[in-house]
Structures are given as C-alpha cells and as structure tokens.
C-alpha cells in the first residue's frame, strides 16, 4: 500500500513525469504494472479518477492478472457499492499467495460487515510470515486497511502490535484512529507532534481542532481551525470546524456566516443548513430558523437521525413562536424515527405547559420519567421545564426531591437550583447552590447562569463575584 509521503519523493515525481510526458508526446509508456498502480493511486488521491482508471487499464494490458491492478479494481468496485464486480476482479487474481489477494478478501468481508471473519483471515496470513520486518510492515498495512474502512478500534489494535514509529504517515494514521475510538487527548497530542514536523499541513490542524472540540477546548479549536483556513482557505473541513467552535463559544452570528460558507462549499451536506437553523434559533430568530428547517426537512429522508433532530428543533422554534399545535405536530413526526423518545415526551410536556394545558403536560412528564432509563436525570429536565415556564414554586419543591434522589457523585442541577433561588430572592440558598455549581459543574453554571454576569466571565468565578 502506497502512503502519501511516497508521492512527495523525487523517485515518484520522476516516475510521474516520465509517464505524463510519454502520454503527451504519444510515446510508448515503459513502466511495469506496479509503477502504473502507484501512479493510479496518486491520481485517485488527487481527485483525478479518470486518469487513475487509464493508468490501471494500462497496467492490466501489461498483465491481466497483476495483483496490484486488480486490487485497485476491487477497491474501486466496492467504493461504487458493486460487490459482484469486486468479486469478478478478485477471481482474476490467480496468485492466491500474494498479500493483495488476502487484502481484497478482507475488504469484501468488511463491506459485508463481517469484521470478525476479516480479522481472522488477516491474522491467519500474519501467522504465515516469518521475518520480523515483514510482519511489522504487514501489520501496519492491515491497520491502514482498517483505517480506510473506518474501523478505528481494529486499526488501533493492530497498530499497538508493533513498536511506535516516528514517521508522518504512521502518526497521521494513529491520530485519526485514536480520535475514532474516543481517545481525544492522545489524538490531540499526536496532531501536535505532526504540526511540529509539518506546520503547513492543514489536515493536521483540522485533526487537532476536531480533538479539541471533542475535549470541550472550544477556544483552542477555533485557533487551530483558523490556522487550517489560513493554509487552505478552500478547505470545507476547516471551515466547518471553525463554525462549530464559534457556535460552542456562543458567537452565533459568526458561526452562522461560516455554516453558510460551508453549505456553499458542500451543498449536498444538509448538516450545514441544519446548523444554520440552530444558529438562527439561538439568536432568537425563530421564524427564520423554522422557515429554513421547513425547506430542508423534506430532503432529509436519507438520514433518519438528522431528520429526528430537525423535527425536535423545529418544534422548539414553533413553541417559541407560540405555534403550539404545529410544535406538537412536529414532535409527532419523530414517533417512528431513531431518537430519545423520553426527551420527546419532556418536550411535549414543556410545550403543553407553555400552551396552558397543565393536565396533558403532567401526563407527558410522568410518561417521560416512568419510561426513562435514567429517571432521575429525566426528572431534572422536567424541573428545568417547569422553571422555564415560570412555575417557580413547583420547580423549587421538586428540586428538593431531586437532590434527595440523585446519586452522590452526580453534580447536575446545582446551577439550575441556584437560578431558581435567585429568581425567588432566596439569597442565602442562591449562594449555597451557586458555590456548589461553580466548584463541581462550571459548564452547567455557564449554561444556566452566564446571563447574570458580564460576557466572558469564567463560570468558576461566579460565586466569588456574587459573594464579594
């Protein structure tokens, strides 16, 4: 398997120049099939599929059973969701001892989501190898195969079978897969190493920004994404990372501009429009947000999860516009969709409270708590809804019950209880719960209480400011 750094080498550049000069001048191409496969891989990674196909066809003219060329054809067929065509090219590969044959068999199994069988097959081939260097190269090629097939757990398992390497290709693959398995701190560390090696590779800044977003390091992610954009202003991945960081930092107007820019770059990705709508709603521009969601929801049938999220956001926007029947109708559209139906019940109760339908709201809240896998947490959401709808005394009394029920190591709810006490002029209780919130759950404190303090105030300082 050819890695990106090879394509930057003088050896490959000379090979590519000879090939392209021969084509341009109409001369015969004096390259073997493996060299033509390398050129095809380069064209494929450069977004030139027609040139890649032409190079592979020349390789197969030289040797119709060439494993590398046939492996390329197998991968291309699977990319086009044509496993029958992939099996046809695999059958043309007469040398079953060649490692490319094993890779292609594994890819077909991965395509069919038969991961255990693919791993067993690849491990059987590993057992047949004797030389340590050969084994290590094979292990890293298998890890790369798993990485390309978005199987990060398996990729990491195989990478950890060999001593760590220092090369860019190895570190890049490790960073991507550590991110894929949720090891974000390690992933960020890897991307920092890569940036030290090559600070002008925008993909490394994008990878670092993604890890930082996952770690909640939003300001740092914004800075990393800005470096990526400075290197490549046309990078859609960098633009959307910056948009997400701005949204998380509650800089909604700027986030809206960048999500719009992302949608212009990637018009087929409706998440850009979805996030624009979220920004509009966060800016209290509910009518515009609802109108945008109404336009793109009919196109979302291909993504059931995003469709469910869109209906819930639309319901919230309708509710804020006091279009309560429309809001409930939007939530009804989630019934058969994959989403947190307990959360939907809480939302229905919230909307019914806002509409003054108290009995119906109580039933929805009761259903939510009774059917929840985490009833205590769901109870907290119900109480917050009561507070939002100005049922302060009821919310206050239910908070007392909630704090008796929650687990000792759960620190959710302190900030919202502090807010409730603040609005009820219970000063001493407000300070008590505020101190707990600032010390034990500053992120919730920021979400619930930021509007009481100067913009940009660190939530860990809220209590000191109030108790001054």
């Amino acid at each position: 398997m050819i890695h990106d750094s090879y394509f930057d080498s003088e050896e490959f550049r000379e090979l590519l120049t000879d090939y392209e000069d021969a084509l341009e001048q109409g001369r015969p191409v004096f390259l073997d099939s493996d060299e033509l496969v390398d050129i095809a891989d380069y064209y494929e990674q450069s977004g030139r599929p027609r040139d890649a196909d032409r190079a592979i066809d020349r390789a197969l003219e030289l040797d119709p059973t060439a494993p590398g060329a046939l492996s390329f054809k197998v991968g291309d067929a699977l990319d086009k969701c044509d496993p029958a065509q992939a099996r046809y090219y695999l059958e043309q590969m007469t040398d079953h001892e060649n490692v490319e044959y094993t890779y292609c068999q594994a890819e077909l199994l991965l395509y069919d989501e038969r991961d255990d069988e693919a791993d067993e097959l690849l491990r059987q081939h590993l057992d047949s190898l004797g030389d340590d260097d050969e084994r290590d190269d094979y292990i890293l090629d298998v890890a790369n195969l798993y990485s390309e097939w978005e199987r990060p757990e398996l990729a990491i398992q195989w990478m950890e079978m060999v001593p760590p390497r220092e090369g860019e290709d190895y570190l890049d693959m490790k960073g991507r897969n550590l991110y894929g398995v949720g090891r974000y701190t390690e992933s960020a560390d890897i991307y920092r190493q890569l940036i030290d090696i090559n600070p002008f590779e925008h993909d490394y800044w994008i990878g670092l920004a993604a890890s930082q977003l996952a770690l909640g390091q939003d300001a740092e992610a914004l800075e990393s994404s800005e470096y990526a954009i400075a290197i490549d202003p046309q990078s859609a991945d960098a633009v959307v990372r910056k948009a997400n960081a701005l949204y998380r930092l509650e800089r909604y107007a700027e986030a809206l501009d960048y999500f719009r820019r992302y949608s212009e770059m990637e018009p087929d990705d409706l998440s850009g429009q979805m996030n624009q709508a979220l920004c509009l709603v966060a800016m209290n521009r509910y009518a515009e947000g609802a109108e945008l969601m109404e336009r793109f929801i009919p196109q979302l049938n291909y993504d059931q999860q995003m469709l469910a999220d869109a209906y819930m956001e639309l319901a919230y926007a309708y509710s804020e516009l006091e279009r309560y029947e429309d809001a409930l109708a939007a939530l009804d559209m989630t019934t058969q969709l994959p989403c947190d139906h307990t959360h939907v019940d809480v939302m229905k109760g919230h909307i019914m409270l806002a509409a003054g339908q108290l009995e119906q709201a109580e039933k929805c809240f009761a259903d939510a708590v009774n059917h929840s896998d985490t009833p205590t947490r769901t109870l907290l959401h119900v109480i917050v809804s009561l507070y939002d709808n100005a049922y302060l005394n009821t919310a206050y009394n239910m908070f007392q019950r909630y704090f008796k029920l929650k687990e000792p190591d759960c620190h959710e709810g302190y900030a919202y209880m502090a807010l409730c006490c603040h609005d009820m002029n219970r000063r001493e209780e407000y300070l008590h719960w505020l101190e707990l919130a600032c010390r034990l759950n500053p992120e919730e404190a920021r979400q619930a209480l930021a509007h009481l303090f100067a913009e940009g105030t660190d939530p860990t300082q809220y209590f000191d400011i109030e108790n001054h």
Side-chain angles (χ1 to χ4, degrees), residues 38-62:
D38 291 349
I39 289 170
D41 282 334
Y42 167 79
Y43 284 141
E44 186 74 17
Q45 292 190 26
S46 302
R48 297 166 61 181
R50 289 186 179 179
D51 291 330
D53 288 341
R54 180 160 61 168
I56 286 296
D57 289 343
R58 286 180 177 273
L60 289 173
E61 287 173 7
L62 289 174

Side-chain angles (χ1 to χ4, degrees), residues 165 171 186 188-198:
R165 307 287 178 95
L171 290 172
E186 295 170 81
D189 289 342
I190 292 291
Y191 281 115
R192 290 190 188 94
Q193 291 180 50
L194 284 163
I195 288 166
D196 287 341
I197 296 170
N198 185 356

Side-chain angles (χ1 to χ4, degrees), residues 68-141:
L70 289 169
S71 176
F72 186 99
K73 285 288 192 182
V74 169
D76 186 54
L78 293 177
D79 286 342
K80 295 173 180 175
C81 299
D82 191 347
Q85 186 77 347
R87 291 187 179 91
Y88 166 79
Y89 285 117
L90 180 63
E91 290 169 1
Q92 311 310 306
M93 205 179 297
T94 57
D95 183 3
H96 292 184
E97 298 302 315
N98 190 289
V99 69
E100 294 290 350
Y101 183 77
T102 301
Y103 290 146
C104 289
Q105 287 181 300
E107 286 191 282
L108 278 159
L109 290 168
L110 291 172
Y111 180 87
D112 290 333
E113 298 187 358
R114 294 157 63 185
D115 294 13
D116 290 344
E117 294 175 61
D119 204 55
E120 182 179 354
L121 174 72
L122 292 165
R123 289 179 185 275
Q124 286 175 356
H125 188 88
L126 175 64
D127 292 339
S128 70
L129 302 176
D131 180 79
D132 287 345
D133 289 338
E134 184 183 8
R135 285 172 59 87
D136 286 356
D137 288 343
Y138 171 77
I139 287 168
L140 291 177
D141 278 343

